[in-house]
Amino acid sequence: MKLLSFLVLLLISQVLTAQVDTNALQRTYYRAAHLSDVDSVKYYADSISHIYPNGGNADANIMFLRLYGWYYENKGDFTNALNFYYRALDSARRHGRIGRQTELMADLAAVYTSDMKQPQKAKEIYKEGVRLNTQLGDAHSLIVSYANLGAIYNNLHLYDSALFFLKEGLRIGKPLEEKGKESLYEIYNNMGNSYYFLKQYDESIRWFRINYNTDLNSQAPDHLANLWLDALNMADSYTQKAAYDSAGKYGGLALQLAKQQDSRSKQSDSYQILAALAQHRGDYKKAWEYQRDWYTLDTALVNAETYKSIAELEQKYEARKKENEKLLLQAALDQQLFHNRIMLIMAIFLLLIAIAAAVLFVTKRNANRQLQATNEHIVRQNERLSELNYEKNSLISIVSHDLSTPFASISMWQQLLQNEQDNLSLSQRKALDRIGQATRYGESLIRHILDVEKAQTNQHKVQLENVDLRIFTENVIDNFEPAAAKKDIQLHLDCPNKAIYFLSDRQLLGRMLENLLSNAIKYTATGKNVWISVSEEKDAISIKIRDEGVGIPPDELPHLFAKYSKISSRPTAGESSTGLGLAIVKRICEELNGQISCESSPGDGSVFTVILKK
């Protein structure tokens, strides 16, 4: 932060002079663009926009608008990102900055391709970028644009058009590559993909092999990742060509490289290719083993009926638990009534001590029998609850393991069929897509089920580290800015300017704050405020989250942190609630040696206070 402040002061001192130092502004702009801290990028953008208000400097105006676009894109707010990119592009056009236009078109196309999933829109932007780069004479940017256009046309299944643009990029880039001034990795890779989709596997292997031979001898930081992709592409092409020995060689190499990089996603893709190879060979046992290894890297799938069964079992378990608590309470009340009755008898019949003693003996004997019977009943209920809990855990195990096999098979064969979809009719393709949608829907359901189950058990091993609470809380708040913005809710942080270091588990602390902040936003109406304050006391840390929400009735506060508790207050925008959030928060707070409390009344909002001992 000290270095960042110094750079900002340097920028301000330079641009406030009568003669603007354009080179210094340019250096500052590129320095901000390469920062890894997204909030620091916004800090630079704010600084430049304040120094040059109302578009007083064309270059500065384009710079800070593009920085805002980067900031919102990295925050996942693509609507705002596109807005700022288009504003910057309009400014660049009005002032004739062609180089800036090509940069901004690359930003826009990237958002439409990767984030918005609109390849048609990205295609038009890349084509305009080709025109401008040709006018500008920027060979490198022109090669990148042709490579991106090839990838877009492949995505749109227009493979001949993809090859046209890729060959143009190859024509321009080959002389530069021979001089060591340009890398054509993306051109070669996309050409290999085009020929693969056209089922010209000898050609696809030829282009993939060029990259493979280059990466095999490369010392670049990302050469292992590129080499894995080259091997995987060659294994896939050799499989389709029915050259199974070569396919096995490169498939095995791809798996070895994926394990060397400790990448679960790369291992999953490698197992998928090896399963397809074994299936082409007719070795269905090996195909099944690869499929099983591939599936262990992915989340288990179950259908909606399994989810309902688990939910019903959870409800039965909770009902039994509540019944047992009522029995214990009733036993305590019976004991209290019994003692009161004895005291009354002794006061009335003090002179008849002999008779009173006999009555006391008989009454106590009966009461002991009754208490013994009640205790035996409670023991039986506890045993039954243990059985139900065991059954529940067994069912969870079945869901997460045994029942996953059919869905894994469905997913594997669906993907194998997708590789052959060119041979299927339109109705068969639609059916195949629906199978894929159903499996993904089942996957989302089982993830929810397993998340709920994990939330009830203390399986996380606490890992303590020194956490800067100010920066940590700012990051948590930033993650909720989009959700708050949708309801026009303002998030405020009240924290001392100095750093507050606290020894805690970062994962558990973050989960606790996220649950509390999520609830505050859910139960606060549009246009209101939520405050988060962090303070340091003598031997503890205090975190308060206050909202202007609907509030909680006083009679519901004692049960607020009970698992699956339901309160009469409802989220203001129809958001869902499992009833687990505050129970999880209480459990995490206890694990971190802390306490949590709530003050609330209907219509006046709520204040949740967490006290964590140092």
Side-chain angles (χ1 to χ4, degrees), residues 81 140 147 159 188 220 266 286 317 357 365 368 388 413 421 450 465 491 531 538 570-571 575:
H140 172 75
Y159 309 123
Y188 295 144
K266 287 185 175 63
K286 198 66 178 176
Y317 175 80
R365 183 178 61 184
N368 287 334
L388 285 173
W413 294 116
Q421 64 177 335
L450 296 179
E465 59 181 298
L491 302 181
W531 290 268
K538 183 177 180 181
R570 290 291 177 265
E575 296 96 330

Side-chain angles (χ1 to χ4, degrees), residues 262-296:
D262 195 24
S263 170
R264 293 175 62 86
S265 63
K266 287 185 175 63
Q267 291 179 51
S268 175
D269 290 342
S270 302
Y271 280 127
Q272 184 180 357
I273 291 296
L274 289 171
L277 171 61
Q279 190 266 341
H280 278 277
R281 281 177 160 173
D283 188 351
Y284 297 106
K285 181 176 181 298
K286 198 66 178 176
W288 172 254
E289 290 175 353
Y290 283 133
Q291 177 270 332
R292 181 191 59 200
D293 293 337
W294 162 49
Y295 181 70
T296 57

Side-chain angles (χ1 to χ4, degrees), residues 20 27 60 92 120 145 170 172 327 338 361 392-393 527 582 595 606 613:
V20 178
R27 288 195 300 271
Q120 286 284 2
S145 297
L170 181 63
I172 297 170
L327 287 172
F338 167 74
F361 173 79
K392 179 199 71 173
N393 291 334
L582 290 178
Q595 296 178 340
S606 305
K613 296 182 180 179

Side-chain angles (χ1 to χ4, degrees), residues 108-124:
L108 286 166
V111 173
Y112 280 119
T113 301
S114 302
D115 304 318
M116 307 293 286
K117 308 302 181 186
Q118 297 182 26
Q120 286 284 2
K121 187 70 175 177
K123 179 191 71 174
E124 298 304 321

